[in-house]
Amino acid sequence: MTQVHNFIAGEYVASERRFKKYSPVTGEWIADIHEASREQVDAAVRAARDALNGPWGQMPLQARIAILEKVVDGITRRFDAFLAAECADTGKPTALARSLDIPRGAANFKVFADMVKDVPGECFETATPDGRGAINYSVRAPVGVVGVICPWNLPLLLLTWKVGPALACGNTVVVKPSEVTPQTAAMLGEVMNEAGVPPGVFNVVHGFGPDSAGEFLTTHPWVDAITFTGETRTGAAIMQAAAIGARPVSLEMGGKNAALIFADCDFDAAVEGTLRSAFANSGQVCLGTERVYVERPIFERFVAAMKTATEAMRIGAPDEASTQMGPLVSKEHQAKVLSYYQLAREEGATVVTGGGIPDMPAALKDGSWVEPTIWTGLPEDARVIKEEIFGPCCHIAPFDREEDAIALANATDYGLSAAIWTTNLARAHRVARQVNAGIAWVNSWYLRDLRTPFGGAKQSGIGREGGVHSLEFYTELKNICIKL
Ligand SMILES: NC(=O)C1=CN([C@@H]2O[C@H](COP(=O)(O)OP(=O)(O)OC[C@H]3O[C@@H](n4cnc5c(N)ncnc54)[C@H](O)[C@@H]3O)[C@@H](O)[C@H]2O)C=CC1
Ligand SMILES: O=C(O)/C=C/C=C(\O)C(=O)O
């Protein structure tokens, strides 16, 4: 059986306690995960502190960048192994992980290794009473040991989205991957060693949240900052832990994102984009669309086109070339999503398509499959409209006026992203400004540029990462004042 170890101070470390990892595709037991004890988490944090005070902290920027470029090469060289591990853990289609998850794993190191070469500073000449003046200038120092808590939906992508800039800025990290998808995080240890990253700079501890590695890490007094992606309630618990010692947090949390489809849109592009935003990665993307609002003149046509396109989607095992949608990540998550499918019926939804478990071949029967699902007819206060489901499903409702569409999009406690489909440029700008979300895509969805600010409003997050915003979180800005 595959053993997935912790990675502490440059070495793979076994734990006494272990838990089982099951395939989301077949339900089979595929690995044993070593659950870090409190002492092991402490050892990881101490190793990170030592590396910060030692070789990594002392290393000139150029040398650090050269090492991170070797990390990029290391991921690229092991592309197929990362791909296999990511698909085994998540069940996502190989084609998706090949084009998104694994390349982004490398790109997240490359982009920030490049970016730290040219960090601009501030400089002010200051008048003083003696007439000789002073010069103020700013420098950025690493924030310290960063605790990185990751979810299961895009495991390598989201881990490296945090670890890439953290290391580029000179920090050391202790990562707690999701207990559901721990394999690629552990594999990254080998890449780090090969690239010459000093022991202790990158550490991985496995386990759960409360009373396990997640809590041990976020409450550890030597962790200087915490970055998290996951559910809003977990983010709130982590914020409480971070309050002890007044440590900074960057939180990227849930969403209940809207798509606004105007009658003047490019119809086929809007259908294709909405299909992708609702069902990509089996709907397990925090930026995904779960609420679709369509201008009334094209409502019936849009629903019909979505139904046809959804029913044509091929659900299957990750490694089949024709697969467009895989299973959900786990049996637990399947039960959660199916409970919302049941709730939708109880709340009075019309099930346009889906709503259950697809009929799968015998070898896949024990996987965590659900049908891509579309509903109409729910009132806006239905729980299915209000709560993040995180599955391949969306509700489609009509609207009559632009201001109604904006009000509907904003009638949520979340504020992560929105997608607006229109060919009227003035409207695109107007609506994009008024939707209360961290990211507004016009005539697209998930079109990513890693230099742009990324994060959510309201209960979807605190802070922004991406581009200079990552540099701001992962560094302490210091002003140096020189009296002349
Ligand atoms: N990217 C996103 O926005 C994601 C949202 N979700 C949503 O969250 C729901 C629950 O999924 P989970 O994986 O359980 O998400 P979660 O937010 O509970 O877990 C995310 C990470 O936080 C850790 N964690 C949990 N409690 C913690 C604590 N008290 N202290 C420190 N670390 C802690 C987990 O072990 C995991 O590594 C999903 O059904 C989905 O709706 C899940 C994954 C990603
Ligand atoms: O592209 C990214 O950086 C992030 C994408 C998705 C998430 O953050 C998420 O689903 O949590």
Side-chain angles (χ1 to χ4, degrees):
M1 185 55 56
T2 302
Q3 300 293 309
V4 182
H5 293 103
N6 303 289
F7 183 74
I8 301 173
E11 290 183 358
Y12 285 98
V13 180
S15 299
E16 268 170 37
R17 281 166 70 126
R18 298 174 195 181
F19 57 93
K20 290 181 174 170
K21 162 72 193 168
Y22 296 95
S23 163
V25 181
T26 60
E28 287 166 312
W29 172 23
I30 55 169
D32 279 332
I33 320 302
H34 290 241
E35 183 181 357
S37 63
R38 190 185 284 278
E39 291 69 30
Q40 286 176 320
V41 174
D42 182 58
V45 175
R46 283 170 190 276
R49 172 68 57 194
D50 289 347
L52 189 71
N53 294 337
W56 193 243
Q58 322 276 315
M59 193 176 283
L61 178 64
Q62 282 311 324
R64 198 161 79 219
I65 290 171
I67 288 183
L68 293 179
E69 284 166 353
K70 286 191 188 150
V71 172
V72 176
D73 295 343
I75 296 174
T76 311
R77 245 193 335 270
R78 285 182 165 75
F79 194 98
D80 288 345
F82 275 106
L83 188 64
E86 200 72 317
C87 294
D89 268 0
T90 59
K92 67 178 71 192
T94 308
L96 176 64
R98 189 191 297 284
S99 61
L100 174 67
D101 300 63
I102 313 305
R104 260 295 293 280
N108 286 335
F109 285 99
K110 175 82 180 106
V111 163
F112 291 102
D114 286 345
M115 202 171 287
V116 289
K117 290 175 189 161
D118 305 306
V119 180
E122 297 168 52
C123 182
F124 296 96
E125 286 186 38
T126 307
T128 57
D130 64 6
R132 288 163 61 187
I135 297 175
N136 285 280
Y137 67 96
S138 62
V139 292
R140 289 189 177 273
V143 71
V145 175
V146 181
V148 179
I149 308 281
C150 300
W152 43 252
N153 57 331
L154 300 159
L156 183 70
L157 186 159
L158 288 173
L159 180 155
T160 52
W161 176 237
K162 297 164 181 304
V163 172
L167 297 194
C169 291
N171 302 282
T172 58
V173 296
V174 181
V175 179
K176 212 296 281 167
S178 168
E179 56 274 29
V180 184
T181 55
Q183 295 202 63
T184 49
M187 285 174 63
L188 211 47
E190 279 173 40
V191 171
M192 296 286 171
N193 280 351
E194 254 179 42
V197 174
V201 171
F202 173 81
N203 306 275
V204 178
V205 290
H206 297 296
F208 304 85
D211 201 27
S212 184
E215 185 187 315
F216 303 152
L217 179 59
T218 52
T219 55
H220 197 294
W222 287 11
V223 170
D224 299 299
I226 301 169
T227 175
F228 164 79
T229 299
E231 202 193 18
T232 297
R233 266 176 306 193
T234 313
I238 287 175
M239 228 180 144
Q240 279 188 325
I244 299 162
R247 287 144 333 134
V249 287
S250 173
L251 304 177
E252 202 261 284
M253 305 189 286
K256 190 72 186 176
N257 311 300
L260 305 182
I261 321 282
F262 289 91
D264 61 16
C265 69
D266 173 338
F267 187 84
D268 291 343
V271 171
E272 193 278 328
T274 307
L275 197 76
R276 211 162 60 81
S277 70
F279 302 142
N281 207 36
S282 303
Q284 302 165 122
V285 183
C286 61
L287 308 153
T289 300
E290 292 192 359
R291 299 180 298 138
V292 183
Y293 298 103
V294 184
E295 203 168 354
R296 202 172 297 274
I298 62 164
F299 176 74
E300 297 294 345
R301 188 175 155 225
F302 189 86
V303 173
M306 284 288 288
K307 173 176 160 65
T308 305
T310 303
E311 289 173 356
M313 276 175 62
R314 281 183 294 269
I315 305 173
D319 50 356
E320 279 170 29
S322 60
T323 295
Q324 291 167 299
M325 202 182 99
L328 295 175
V329 76
S330 64
K331 282 280 177 200
E332 291 72 19
H333 194 51
Q334 182 198 36
K336 173 182 161 179
V337 172
L338 288 175
S339 76
Y340 276 101
Y341 285 11
Q342 171 65 23
L343 180 64
R345 285 190 289 272
E346 288 163 15
E347 289 186 314
T350 300
V351 181
V352 175
T353 186
I357 299 177
D359 192 18
M360 301 305 289
L364 306 180
K365 281 265 187 259
D366 291 332
S368 321
W369 308 95
V370 297
E371 287 179 313
T373 294
I374 297 175
W375 305 288
T376 55
L378 282 172
E380 281 301 305
D381 61 356
R383 281 182 53 204
V384 166
I385 303 276
K386 291 286 173 211
E387 298 173 16
E388 182 185 48
I389 301 171
F390 222 65
C393 53
C394 63
H395 179 263
I396 312 183
F399 71 86
D400 291 305
R401 299 174 312 161
E402 183 180 305
E403 54 268 43
D404 297 339
I406 295 165
L408 286 163
N410 289 342
T412 167
D413 292 335
Y414 293 106
L416 192 51
S417 77
I420 300 153
W421 296 88
T422 176
T423 51
N424 177 334
L425 194 58
R427 166 181 280 155
H429 286 286
R430 205 166 51 230
V431 175
R433 277 174 180 268
Q434 289 179 77
V435 290
N436 197 348
I439 303 151
W441 276 293
V442 175
N443 297 328
S444 64
W445 175 78
Y446 196 61
L447 201 173
R448 290 282 283 121
D449 179 329
L450 306 187
R451 296 168 299 182
T452 59
F454 184 91
K458 300 196 269 182
Q459 290 191 21
S460 288
I462 293 188
R464 296 290 181 272
E465 297 195 31
V468 295
H469 307 280
S470 295
L471 304 188
E472 273 160 22
F473 180 70
Y474 293 108
T475 57
E476 214 41 272
L477 188 60
K478 180 191 290 180
N479 186 65
I480 298 178
C481 176
I482 311 278
K483 173 77 174 63
L484 298 172

